[in-house]
Amino acid sequence: MAIARLVRQAKRPYGLWVKMTAVTILGICFIFVWGVFSNSSTSVTTQRESFEDIAEPVPSSSSVIQSQSQKKSISKPEKHEVVPHLIEKNEKRINGSSSSVTHHKKVLPKGKDKKGVAHGKKRVHEDNKVNQDKGLANTDLHEKKEEGEEEVEGEEEVSDGEGDVEDMDDGDLAESVDQDVEMLGDGESVEEEETKKTSKGKMKGPLFDPNAKYKWKLCNTRSKHNYIPCVDIEVGGGKVASYRHRERSCPRTPFMCLVPLPHEGYKSPVPWPESKLKILYKNVAHPKLASYIKGHSWLMESGEYLTFPQNQSEFKGGILHYLESIEEMVPDIEWGKNIRVVLDIGCTDSSFGATLLDKEVLTLSLGLKDDLVDIAQVVLERGFPTVVSPFGRRRLPFPSQVFDAIHCAGCSIPWHSNGGKLLLEMNRILRPGGYFIMSTKHDGIEEEEAMTSLTASICWNVLAHKSDDVGEVGVKIYQKPEGNDIYELRRKKIPPICKENEKPDAAWYVPIKTCLHTIPIGIEQHGAEWPEEWPKRLESYPDWMNNKEKLVADTEHWNSIVNYSYLNGMGINWTSIRNVMDMKAIYGGLAAALSQQKVWVMNVVAVHAPDTLPIIFERGLVGVYHDWCESFGTYPRTYDLLHADHLFSRLKNRCNKPVSIVVEMDRILRPGGWTIIRDKVEILNPLEEILRSLQWEIRMTFAKDREGIICAQKTMWRP
């Protein structure tokens, strides 16, 4: 009846308005009903509102951080003092209201600790509680750093389009994200939840599936216990003559197997500083190393050790005589003052970097991975900075204008061949006014003439040339020009000046260009001025840095974290720590905070993050560019501590298999080594389960305001 009446009313002159009103009401009702019933089915992610559901760890392999959807019954936890200043205060608003916070206390799993650390007891000194505010002093800094990185996330620094998977740009990587993490190769896992993406290709699902189960197997490669995935040819058999690629070439799928321990066994390395004089031979054993030892006096086998007699080197007369002769030839070279960061090409003699370390010089050895001798592994075992990289057609993973000096002693590199490309790469990374020191035993006339012509064409000045009768070597010291005027005075403009669009700091998978980059001259460019002498250099902030306040805040932030947490509150025996890696460095704040400790830090700056590596070198520290979707250029079991500050959350939309990053950490970390991981709670929850599947000991966990920290220790376990 009501409908009939409505129809009759519609026939009247004013019936049109009734029609419009009815349609409007019905439309609003439809939108309301549709919105109510569609919210639950279309929501993709939920936000954690509190930590009240996060359970205490039990001495078994239970989860450290449990999600709301996976609550488990647990035994009554023991009392444990927490470290509030380990996690930065995060005052983010959620849906217009502040998130509720529960201080999350954790208990360490009981077990044996040879270092004398009792599990289950207090891990934090009472005096640390007084300093809680100091550890939280830079709360805003952390959030600003992360926001700054989000702006450039997904933008590859450089690419030359060569290779297979390793040369894919960010768009290709985002599109190739796997729908599951079923392990390829020797590893196996099960992940049922598909990776959710937005229309732009970004993942909206979890980085690690909390329901995944992992079953690990050993790698079966030709290099066996010395396997470097992106350098070694991993074919197990066949008639392949070489073990290594001439250029960096990663497997098409990330390797998901565990590198075995040496066949003769493995022991905890000799601690620093004893490792300067001796290391355990079986930790670095290699067939070609045995034959190498017989023909060289600077290292020798003594029982179970490989020893390094003092003042012995490849140079007759000793390494001290060699260094003194360099200072005599060029008095402006003052080791440990104006010369702080040095690149040593070839790793033919680690006594060079070892002796310079006593003079406060930080020498980064470049291991040219070939089929000769694995000396780079020996250098790392001794506790000296080293990175392994092929050096052929592509640039080295360093920014331009950063090394104070470059040293090449019998490195057998044909500098003059192929248009002098390799020497042009040295020119790119050498600081204006920096020194190139080359010593050779037997220089042919043709090679010497070619080198003379090449160095003249790039305007290097020969400061000194001396034949050392005692050391039986010829030493030449070149200096790079400090201005561009001299380039215009060349008769032949070969090599030419690089075009403006040739970025000198682009180094990741970029081919070496046959051109000269101009010398920076403005104070707003890095490399235009020589840094302060060491150690003032560490706390001197360059004029070309736009926002010095960020660098100051970063330094203060990590000083408080290290002094009030890492050194005293983590249970780490720092006397056993020498080789440290900051897997996501920004300004080198962690390395600067650890400068008073007997450690060195490899600062790794991601290729997709803001380019802060020149600042790190400017401070007198060392580092490299790297993409953690690939393996790092180092031997297995070479680092004592890995530090990852929000590394995984920044790689969510880049890597095919984020689990492979954890596998890589297992490869490069020594048994007994430590890792400190700071990240979001939803990432740390499944990440801890992955570490437990690798039989790592979880020494400490802490969570607050959706941020958390895990401190874990690798064991000797292999499947």
Side-chain angles (χ1 to χ4, degrees), residues 183 186-188 214-218 256-258 659 663 690 693-694 717 719:
M183 294 184 183
D186 295 325
E188 299 176 359
Y214 299 93
K215 181 180 179 182
W216 305 103
K217 292 183 180 180
L218 293 178
M256 296 294 293
C257 55
L258 304 184
V659 180
V663 178
I690 299 174
S693 71
L694 292 167
W717 178 83

Side-chain angles (χ1 to χ4, degrees), residues 414-635:
W415 297 109
H416 58 279
S417 63
N418 198 16
K421 280 189 174 183
L422 300 184
L423 195 66
L424 286 171
E425 175 63 2
M426 297 295 99
N427 184 77
R428 182 185 71 87
I429 64 178
L430 186 62
R431 185 180 297 278
Y435 304 95
F436 183 81
I437 305 169
M438 185 175 68
S439 60
T440 57
K441 290 185 177 180
H442 304 289
D443 249 356
I445 298 177
E446 294 182 359
E447 288 79 5
E448 185 173 353
E449 290 179 350
M451 187 66 179
T452 300
S453 176
L454 178 59
T455 53
S457 68
I458 61 177
C459 302
W460 281 12
N461 183 26
V462 181
L463 296 181
H465 183 194
K466 178 181 178 181
S467 296
D468 191 339
D469 296 332
V470 177
E472 296 183 357
V473 295
V475 181
K476 276 188 178 182
I477 302 178
Y478 302 89
Q479 187 176 32
K480 180 179 175 178
E482 300 181 69
N484 296 308
D485 294 341
I486 194 171
Y487 293 150
E488 300 300 326
L489 299 177
R490 297 179 300 165
R491 293 182 179 179
K492 295 181 179 180
K493 302 299 188 292
I494 300 176
I497 301 297
C498 295
K499 298 178 181 179
E500 292 184 0
N501 60 354
E502 295 286 353
K503 297 180 180 179
D505 291 334
W508 191 246
Y509 285 105
V510 174
I512 300 174
K513 309 295 184 181
T514 312
C515 63
L516 280 172
H517 289 283
T518 56
I519 305 293
I521 55 176
I523 60 173
E524 71 280 359
Q525 297 176 288
H526 76 85
E529 295 182 352
W530 200 276
E532 294 281 347
E533 289 188 354
W534 183 264
K536 293 181 180 179
R537 181 172 176 173
L538 183 64
E539 301 299 334
S540 299
Y541 308 121
D543 294 332
W544 46 265
M545 185 175 180
N546 295 328
N547 195 338
K548 296 182 182 180
E549 290 74 17
K550 286 186 177 180
L551 182 55
V552 174
D554 183 76
T555 301
E556 294 175 352
H557 166 73
W558 286 112
N559 276 333
S560 63
I561 291 291
V562 168
N563 293 327
Y564 302 115
S565 298
Y566 287 5
L567 296 182
N568 299 315
M570 308 291 285
I572 298 175
N573 179 12
W574 284 90
T575 61
S576 64
I577 305 298
R578 172 59 185 171
N579 301 351
V580 179
M581 177 185 288
D582 190 355
M583 299 177 69
K584 183 176 162 290
I586 299 180
Y587 299 120
L590 177 69
L594 291 172
S595 60
Q596 299 303 315
Q597 305 300 314
K598 296 180 179 179
V599 303
W600 68 271
V601 179
M602 175 62 74
N603 295 279
V604 181
V605 173
V607 296
H608 60 279
D611 185 9
T612 56
L613 192 53
I615 298 175
I616 292 173
F617 275 94
E618 193 80 5
R619 303 183 71 180
L621 308 171
V622 295
V624 294
Y625 295 118
H626 185 62
D627 185 350
W628 281 112
C629 298
E630 301 179 3
S631 292
F632 190 79
T634 191
Y635 280 89

